[in-house]
């Protein structure tokens, strides 16, 4: 239906490029110095740039430190409920974040405290008793990547206030690592059964029979290589890193996890998330409250002991971060390029937004502001076992209604299956996943990494290990055989009963009864 | 290599790979799943009730041609009990609509549906050719879009129909979700994934192809041998939409489900209540009676600008202020006829 212009073929289809700055080359703030940087059409000098970025940073972080941190309240009353964890990637934004957090909230030297007024930020009480810097090394996920843990350690060692907590992505598949946080390992690990049958989107979990000799790295790689698209691999890496950071934040008694998401990267992750079906969690992309058990908070969703994820650079663009790092002479370790990452939706979105930002500098802020005005349509108590974010129920029904994949109409098509004789017990995982994670595990592409092997008719099902944290959420399934022989529940949560049903013709007929004139006449 | 058999019926030779699911299926099964999915969309949303008078917005392009065929098929197969009409808008673009209107006229014969063609010239006294002569190519999509929406409603009111169905497909909707986010149009973002929209006294509008991939619509037309005209508008400098479309095609190539995933995202969120409260309330245009968020509806503002030689009045704030500074509209200003909501009986004869 759409019939408007295509900029690739029509020169007229492109709008005129706007000038880089509005008025003069003089700083808009002090109006005396020549400008050094253009931020969305406005020119700033170097002296004014630093306070500008600092104020944008503090404006986001300060109000969310505790419940009393409302605007206008005395700044000295700030005291967080727990410790601080900084999620660090080695990129320029997280390097700047580290610098800003250290300068504004952690460095309390005695000389500085004699300067300034009584409410000056230098006179803060200790806001967070401890500050940890968490870095997740992902080099073992892919071939040929460099381990940068030691380089990161050197950067962090320059800041006395931070304790370095290195993690590795394979920890997600290491039961010993998780047992440190109170997760009780199972006698056998869970594995994911991905059906290669394109007539269904069924995903099952079952007890693994053969993975006792495998290492966390091999399990991680088996999991990633089983995913059907590059997009799925990259999204899964992000999800694993996120859950590891959250779990470590919780384990270190942190009330806050701060991440170096800039305005640019926030816009990219918002659009990329929406393009992967994550519209229900658009709010969590900006800020979220997380606790490992099922979501049982008050109306605001805040749960005691939860970790608040804050992105204090969300009003600061990537260009400003790069300028800060350059002018402040910060050492940026940089991020390793993930092989074939450019084929994923995340990379495509990044190219698109960065390209658009060049011609329309307000784009990223418009995207972030627009998404900030959105809320999930329904409330849901269900939480995705994989990404640990709120999930809508009925994902599979929705998908099967709009994309018919089979003419067979089995009443209880998606259900708990237990075939004690020939197969290990299996549990349908799909109803415990959010839309985006379900899509990650099932959506195929003709150019996908695993497409060819999945289309091989000889393979009826591929079985791959699952991250360890998923097990406690599948309560009904995991209440048996712990290594210690007990049979109690793994966690007190997991109220969800994962059972759903595909609509039959009769169900559909009931729904359309008013349209069926013959039936009405009868 | 032996030919693959259809993954659905396991009988016939697979003739195509479904863009939506990647399944290799035969032609007959494709027709069945495509039509059933549209039927599911219609029944799940309870779009119609028996006896409804429904106008199909027909442009002669692929979407509306397939929509007319599928609506007629489903109406007969599932006994919806609908009275179907074809409604076409002639924008007055030389060489653009001529062929496609011929397609619509042929559809009228083939499907035995009454047809009403309403022209911009008849309704507004301006063709798009004349508008482009005055405003140039830069903002003409604004005029065309606003005028078309109102023209469809007015044409539907003349036919006395309760409902207009349009051929907007899944690609169009996904593209619109992205566009509205990128340009911050929160009001449209809130409603663009709704299958059915209805103002206080306007006619219902629905998109039965909401979940149908553009490629599958083309495929359907191809296998059913439906002829249509694929004509790109010659006045189309909407750069932003062009960017969004190219991006969407890239996403679809990376993962075909991206189109449906974006629509699912759009359905999963809504505008926060406190933001909703700041939105303008709906009122009626004091000049033409059509729904409006200001005293004058957008079409009347645009038309007044054209008539008074200040076409930018309906596009920019500066243009509007300039128009206001010129004084009130003259009494003899050409205006759009007053809008009468649909009545049970048509007010015009159909072809």
């Amino acid at each position: 239906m759409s019939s408007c212009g295509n900029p690739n073929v029509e020169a007229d289809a492109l709008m005129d490029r706007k000038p880089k700055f509005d008025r003069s080359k003089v700083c808009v703030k002090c109006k005396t110095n020549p400008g050094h940087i253009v931020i969305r059409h406005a020119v700033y000098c170097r002296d004014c740039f630093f306070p500008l970025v600092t104020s944008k940073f503090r404006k986001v972080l300060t109000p969310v430190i505790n419940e009393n941190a409302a605007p206008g309240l005395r700044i000295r009353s700030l005291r967080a409920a727990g410790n601080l964890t900084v999620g660090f990637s080695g990129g320029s934004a997280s390097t700047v974040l580290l610098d800003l957090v250290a300068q504004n909230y952690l460095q309390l030297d005695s000389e500085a405290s004699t300067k300034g007024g009584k409410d000056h930020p230098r006179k803060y009480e200790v806001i967070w008793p401890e500050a940890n810097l968490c870095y997740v090394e992902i080099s073992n996920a892919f071939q040929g990547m460099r381990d940068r843990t030691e380089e990161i350690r050197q950067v962090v060692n320059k800041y006395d206030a931070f304790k370095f907590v290195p993690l590795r992505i394979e920890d997600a598949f290491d039961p010993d690592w998780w047992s440190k946080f109170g997760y009780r390992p199972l006698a056998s690990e869970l594995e994911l059964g991905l059906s290669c049958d394109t007539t269904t989107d069924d995903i099952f979990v079952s007890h693994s029979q053969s993975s006792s000799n495998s290492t966390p790295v091999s399990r991680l790689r088996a999991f990633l290589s089983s995913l059907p698209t590059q997009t799925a691999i990259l999204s899964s890496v992000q999800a694993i890193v996120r859950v590891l950071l959250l779990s470590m934040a919780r384990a270190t008694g942190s009330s806050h996890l701060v991440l170096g998401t800039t305005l640019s990267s926030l816009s990219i992750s918002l659009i990329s998330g929406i393009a992967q079906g994550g519209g229900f969690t658009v709010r969590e992309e900006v800020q979220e409250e997380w606790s490992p058990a099922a979501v049982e908070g008050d109306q605001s969703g805040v749960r005691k002991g939860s970790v608040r994820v804050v992105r204090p650079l969300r009003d600061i663009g990537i260009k400003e971060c790069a300028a800060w790092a350059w002018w402040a002479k910060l050492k940026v370790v940089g991020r390793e390029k993930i092989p074939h990452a450019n084929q994923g939706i995340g990379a495509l979105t990044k190219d698109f937004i960065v390209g658009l930002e060049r011609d329309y500098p307000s784009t990223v802020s418009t995207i972030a502001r627009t998404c900030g005005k959105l809320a999930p349509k329904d409330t849901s108590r269900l939480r995705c076992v994989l990404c640990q974010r709120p999930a809508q129920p009925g994902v599979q029904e929705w998908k099967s209604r709009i994309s018919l994949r089979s003419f067979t109409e089995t009443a209880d098509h998606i259900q708990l299956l237990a075939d004690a004789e020939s197969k290990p017990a299996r549990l349908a995982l799909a109803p415990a996943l959010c839309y985006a994670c379900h899509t990650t595990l099932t959506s195929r592409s003709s150019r996908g990494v695993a497409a060819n092997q999945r289309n091989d008719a000889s393979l009826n099902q591929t079985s791959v290990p699952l991250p360890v944290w998923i097990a406690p959420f599948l309560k009904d399934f995991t209440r048996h055989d712990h290594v210690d022989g007990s049979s109690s529940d793994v966690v007190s949560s997991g109220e969800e009963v994962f059972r759903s049903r595909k609509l039959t013709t009769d169900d559909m007929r009931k729904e359309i009864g008013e349209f069926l004139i013959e039936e009405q006449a009868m | 290599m032996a030919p693959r058999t259809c993954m659905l019926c396991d009988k016939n030779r697979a003739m195509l790979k479904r863009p939506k699911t990647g399944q290799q299926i035969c032609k007959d099964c494709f027709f069945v799943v495509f039509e059933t999915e549209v039927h599911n969309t219609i029944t799940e949303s309870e779009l119609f009730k028996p006896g409804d008078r429904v106008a199909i917005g027909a442009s002669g392009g692929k979407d509306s041609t397939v929509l007319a065929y599928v609506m007629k098929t489903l109406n007969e197969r599932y006994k919806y009990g609908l009275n179907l009409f074809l409604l076409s808008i002639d924008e007055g673009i030389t060489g653009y609509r001529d062929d496609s209107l011929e397609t619509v006229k042929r559809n009228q014969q083939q499907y035995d549906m009454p047809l009403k063609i309403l022209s911009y010239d008849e309704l507004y006294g301006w063709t798009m050719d004349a508008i482009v002569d005055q405003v140039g190519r830069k903002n003409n999509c604004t005029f065309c879009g606003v005028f078309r929406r109102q023209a469809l409603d007015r044409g539907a009111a003349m036919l006395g129909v309760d409902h207009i169905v349009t051929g907007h497909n899944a690609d169009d909707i996904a593209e619109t979700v992205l566009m509205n986010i990128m340009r911050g149009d929160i009001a449209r973002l809130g409603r663009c994934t709704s299958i059915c929209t209805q103002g206080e006294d306007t006619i219902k509008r629905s998109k039965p192809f909401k979940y149908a991939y553009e490629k599958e619509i083309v495929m359907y037309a191809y296998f059913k041998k439906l002829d249509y005209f694929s004509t790109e508008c010659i006045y189309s400098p909407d750069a932003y939409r062009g960017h969004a479309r190219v991006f969407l095609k890239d996403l679809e190539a990376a993962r075909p489900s991206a189109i449906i995933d974006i629509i699912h995202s759009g359905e999963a969120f809504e505008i926060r209540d406190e933001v909703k409260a700041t939105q303008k309330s709906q009122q009626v245009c004091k000049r033409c009676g059509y729904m409006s968020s200001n005293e004058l509806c957008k079409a009347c503002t645009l038309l007044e600008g054209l008539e008074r030689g200040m076409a930018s009045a309906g596009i920019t704030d500066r243009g509007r202020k300039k128009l206001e500074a010129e004084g009130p509209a003259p009494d003899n200003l050409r205006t759009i006829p007053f809008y009468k909501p649909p009545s049970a009986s048509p007010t015009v004869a159909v072809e």
Side-chain angles (χ1 to χ4, degrees):
Chain A
M1 283 292 287
S2 55
S3 58
C4 297
N6 180 352
N8 285 342
V9 293
E10 294 170 68
D12 282 352
L14 289 170
M15 284 166 75
D16 297 333
R17 186 173 285 199
K18 289 181 180 170
K20 278 198 165 178
F21 48 85
D22 287 339
R23 293 184 185 87
S24 73
K25 290 182 178 179
V26 176
C27 171
V28 293
K29 193 123 181 168
C30 65
K31 295 184 176 60
T32 50
N33 296 337
H36 291 112
I37 185 168
V38 183
I39 302 171
R40 271 181 279 150
H41 295 297
V43 176
Y44 293 91
C45 69
R46 199 170 135 172
D47 293 345
C48 294
F49 168 77
F50 283 97
L52 174 82
V53 171
T54 307
S55 109
K56 281 183 180 177
F57 161 76
R58 286 181 40 202
K59 217 165 151 186
V60 176
L61 185 52
T62 303
V64 294
I65 288 177
N66 68 24
E67 301 311 315
N68 300 323
L73 213 90
R74 289 168 73 91
I75 210 142
R76 295 186 67 159
S77 62
L78 285 173
R79 182 181 275 273
N83 296 326
L84 173 72
T85 295
V86 176
F88 193 77
S89 71
S92 61
S94 57
T95 308
V96 171
L97 174 72
L98 190 63
D99 199 42
L100 280 164
V101 171
Q103 277 186 28
N104 287 276
Y105 295 96
L106 300 178
Q107 287 173 355
L108 301 165
D109 60 283
S110 54
E111 188 191 337
S113 65
T114 58
K115 297 176 186 170
K118 62 182 179 180
D119 281 342
H120 194 279
R122 276 190 293 257
K123 294 187 177 173
Y124 288 161
E125 293 174 21
V126 174
I127 299 170
W128 292 283
E130 271 179 32
N132 302 294
L133 187 132
C134 236
Y135 166 70
V136 183
E137 177 55 57
I138 62 165
S139 59
N140 276 341
F142 306 98
Q143 295 279 0
M145 283 184 76
R146 191 167 50 94
D147 187 334
R148 297 169 310 149
T149 309
E150 286 315 307
E151 289 173 70
I152 303 280
R153 189 190 299 277
Q154 285 169 20
V155 170
V156 181
N157 285 346
K158 289 180 186 159
Y159 297 92
D160 296 335
F162 289 103
K163 183 183 159 200
F164 185 46
V165 184
L167 305 177
R168 307 193 71 82
I169 189 167
E170 59 267 29
D171 292 339
F173 292 82
D174 184 356
D176 294 339
W177 190 86
W178 287 94
S179 65
K180 288 185 282 192
F181 309 130
Y183 284 77
R184 298 170 66 187
L186 304 172
S188 58
E189 287 149 12
L190 288 181
E191 69 176 17
L192 178 69
L194 290 168
S195 169
C196 77
D197 181 1
T198 54
T199 59
T200 73
D201 274 342
D202 291 355
I203 320 166
F204 296 97
V205 282
S206 56
H207 281 290
S208 167
Q209 301 298 311
S210 58
S211 60
S212 53
N213 296 327
S214 61
T215 64
V217 174
S218 64
R219 287 197 287 275
L220 164 73
R221 288 194 174 172
F223 173 72
L224 292 179
S225 63
S226 72
L227 297 171
T229 55
Q230 280 297 337
T231 304
I233 293 174
L234 300 168
S235 304
S236 299
V237 167
Q238 278 181 350
I240 292 171
V241 169
R242 191 180 138 271
V243 174
L244 287 176
L245 287 175
L246 285 166
S247 304
M248 185 46 87
R250 167 100 177 160
T252 53
S254 297
S255 55
H256 293 80
L257 168 65
V258 292
L259 301 174
T261 313
T262 61
L263 181 61
S264 317
S265 51
L266 177 63
S267 299
I268 292 164
S269 61
L270 284 165
I271 295 288
S272 166
I274 286 168
Q276 293 177 57
F280 192 68
T281 54
V282 79
R283 211 167 39 176
E284 278 72 18
E285 285 291 338
V286 183
Q287 188 174 315
E288 65 184 304
E289 302 285 336
W290 179 86
S291 57
V295 180
E296 284 177 356
D298 56 19
Q299 280 189 335
S300 64
V302 178
R303 188 187 157 91
K304 213 176 175 187
S306 65
V307 178
R308 179 171 284 176
V309 185
V310 189
R311 294 168 170 86
L313 302 183
R314 68 172 191 229
D315 290 337
I316 300 165
I318 190 72
K319 184 168 122 182
E320 289 132 274
C321 282
W324 179 290
W326 176 253
W327 282 330
K329 295 187 173 59
L330 301 178
K331 192 199 169 191
V332 178
V333 175
R335 300 171 74 166
E336 279 279 284
K337 255 195 168 174
I338 297 177
H340 309 297
N342 57 349
Q343 291 170 9
I345 285 178
L348 288 170
T349 310
K350 186 178 177 185
D351 290 346
F352 174 66
I353 302 278
V354 170
L356 209 55
E357 199 181 2
R358 215 174 295 138
D359 293 335
Y360 308 96
S362 309
T363 300
V364 287
S365 100
T366 306
I367 292 169
R369 271 189 293 117
T370 309
C371 292
K373 292 173 185 170
L374 301 174
K377 210 171 251 176
D378 308 303
T379 52
S380 172
R381 287 170 59 85
L382 182 68
R383 193 161 53 160
C384 174
V385 293
L386 196 58
C387 72
Q388 303 271 296
R389 279 182 166 168
Q392 282 171 298
V395 165
Q396 257 189 314
E397 287 88 338
W398 189 87
K399 283 189 174 182
S400 61
R401 199 168 56 237
I402 60 152
S403 303
L404 296 179
R405 289 162 190 273
S406 154
F407 291 152
T408 54
E409 294 168 8
T410 315
D412 283 318
H413 183 60
I414 307 150
Q415 60 182 333
L416 182 69
L417 297 175
D419 185 349
E421 288 176 19
S422 58
K423 296 176 192 165
R426 300 198 301 169
L427 180 76
L429 181 65
L433 296 171
C434 67
Y435 182 92
C437 287
H438 185 263
T439 305
T440 292
L441 295 178
T442 58
S443 181
R444 297 169 178 88
S445 162
S446 54
R447 70 183 194 199
V449 281
N452 294 335
Q453 71 186 59
R454 289 285 192 75
N455 286 334
D456 187 342
S458 64
L459 283 172
N460 287 324
Q461 184 176 301
T462 53
S463 293
V464 289
L466 278 168
V468 176
W469 76 77
I470 290 180
F473 287 90
L474 303 172
K475 173 191 169 188
D476 292 337
F477 186 60
T478 56
R479 59 183 297 143
H480 314 291
D481 53 30
H482 290 296
V483 279
D484 60 4
S486 67
S487 61
S488 60
D489 293 342
V490 178
V491 289
S492 58
S493 63
E495 301 84 347
E496 300 90 359
V497 177
F498 306 127
R499 180 183 282 261
S500 60
R501 195 167 63 84
K502 197 174 187 177
L503 292 174
T504 63
T505 315
D506 285 338
D507 293 327
M508 291 177 188
R509 194 179 287 272
K510 274 177 205 162
E511 287 182 25
I512 59 164
E514 61 177 301
F515 295 110
L516 303 176
I517 296 165
E518 283 177 347
E519 282 198 351
Q520 283 180 338
M522 286 164 72
Chain B
M1 201 171 105
R4 282 181 184 270
T5 53
C6 171
M7 294 173 81
L8 291 176
C9 65
D10 206 17
K11 212 164 54 188
N12 299 334
R13 187 168 69 90
M15 290 277 284
L16 58 102
K17 192 170 179 183
R18 269 199 89 183
K20 200 174 183 179
T21 60
Q23 288 178 315
Q24 296 182 353
I25 57 175
C26 69
K27 198 168 74 177
D28 290 341
C29 286
F30 171 66
F31 293 148
V32 172
V33 287
F34 183 89
E35 287 159 8
T36 309
E37 283 170 12
V38 177
H39 172 65
N40 286 351
T41 307
I42 288 170
T43 52
E44 180 68 19
S45 314
E46 298 180 1
L47 287 187
F48 313 117
K49 54 183 189 304
D52 271 357
R53 295 165 64 87
V54 178
I56 300 163
S59 67
K62 62 178 185 311
D63 302 293
S64 60
T65 303
V66 174
L67 180 65
Y69 183 90
V70 170
M71 282 301 294
K72 183 177 168 62
T73 304
L74 297 179
N75 192 32
E76 287 167 0
R77 182 184 302 159
Y78 295 103
K79 298 187 171 50
Y80 290 167
L82 305 177
N83 298 308
L84 297 174
F85 298 81
L86 291 170
L87 173 58
S88 257
I89 305 300
D90 182 1
E91 297 93 345
I93 305 173
T94 311
Y96 170 58
R97 271 286 175 254
D98 304 350
D99 290 338
S100 43
L101 284 177
E102 284 309 310
T103 306
V104 178
K105 284 176 187 165
R106 207 162 42 248
N107 289 343
Q108 174 202 4
Q109 306 292 331
Q110 289 165 337
Y111 308 148
D112 194 25
M113 287 181 201
L115 164 69
K116 166 71 188 159
I117 300 174
L118 186 62
S119 71
Y120 281 8
D121 196 15
E122 185 185 332
L123 191 57
Y124 308 110
W126 287 79
T127 62
M128 273 311 289
D129 286 340
I131 292 170
V132 172
D133 276 347
Q134 190 178 121
V135 306
R137 289 189 170 208
K138 208 165 182 180
N139 291 308
N140 67 79
C141 284
T142 308
F143 287 85
C144 196
V146 172
F147 283 178
R148 189 186 299 112
R149 181 175 177 90
Q150 233 191 76
L152 270 175
D153 274 347
R154 286 168 181 275
M158 289 174 184
L159 287 170
V161 304
D162 318 281
H163 210 131
I164 303 169
V165 288
T166 57
H168 289 94
N169 58 46
D171 300 51
D172 295 330
I173 294 168
E175 187 180 297
T176 308
V177 170
L178 293 176
M179 287 259 301
N180 287 332
I181 293 172
M182 289 188 300
R183 61 184 180 193
D185 194 336
I186 197 77
R188 283 197 177 84
L189 180 61
R191 60 175 186 254
C192 69
T193 51
S194 306
I195 186 159
C196 183
T197 51
Q198 184 178 28
E200 276 172 18
D201 61 350
T202 55
I203 297 156
K204 275 204 229 172
R205 258 164 197 268
S206 306
K207 305 163 205 158
F209 282 172
K210 182 183 173 187
Y211 301 119
Y213 276 35
E214 190 176 41
K215 285 193 182 109
E216 297 201 353
I217 290 171
V218 177
M219 217 172 242
Y220 189 91
Y222 171 77
F223 284 119
K224 285 280 183 189
K225 298 189 169 53
L226 304 177
D227 53 344
Y228 63 85
F229 278 88
S230 171
T231 323
E232 286 289 311
C233 177
I234 55 174
Y235 304 133
S236 56
D238 196 343
Y240 231 98
R241 186 172 279 277
H243 286 308
R245 194 184 315 157
V246 172
F247 175 51
L248 186 70
K249 294 296 167 201
D250 288 344
L251 294 180
E252 190 191 1
R255 196 159 79 173
S257 71
I259 290 171
I260 284 297
D261 300 340
I262 292 171
I263 297 176
H264 187 269
S265 286
E267 288 179 0
F269 55 59
E270 62 180 358
I271 308 167
R272 276 179 13 216
D273 288 342
E274 54 270 38
V275 180
K276 264 186 212 159
T278 62
Q279 306 245 297
K280 280 184 180 174
S281 59
Q282 198 80 271
Q283 48 185 307
V284 170
C285 173
K286 68 176 185 183
R287 191 174 290 166
C288 77
Y290 191 72
M291 64 171 176
S292 170
S293 24
N294 297 303
E295 271 197 349
L296 279 188
C297 72
K298 192 79 175 164
C300 282
T301 313
L302 289 170
L303 187 60
E304 185 179 337
L306 284 172
E307 291 288 330
R308 294 174 68 183
M310 287 177 280
S312 63
I315 298 164
T316 61
D317 281 348
R318 192 182 289 175
R320 187 180 45 79
K321 280 175 190 156
K322 198 174 153 197
L323 187 83
E324 283 166 2
E326 293 278 317
D331 291 340
N332 60 350
L333 185 84
R334 188 160 47 173
T335 57
I336 309 169
F338 205 81
Y339 177 71
K340 293 190 189 82
S343 56
S345 54
T347 55
V348 289
V350 290
E351 289 179 36

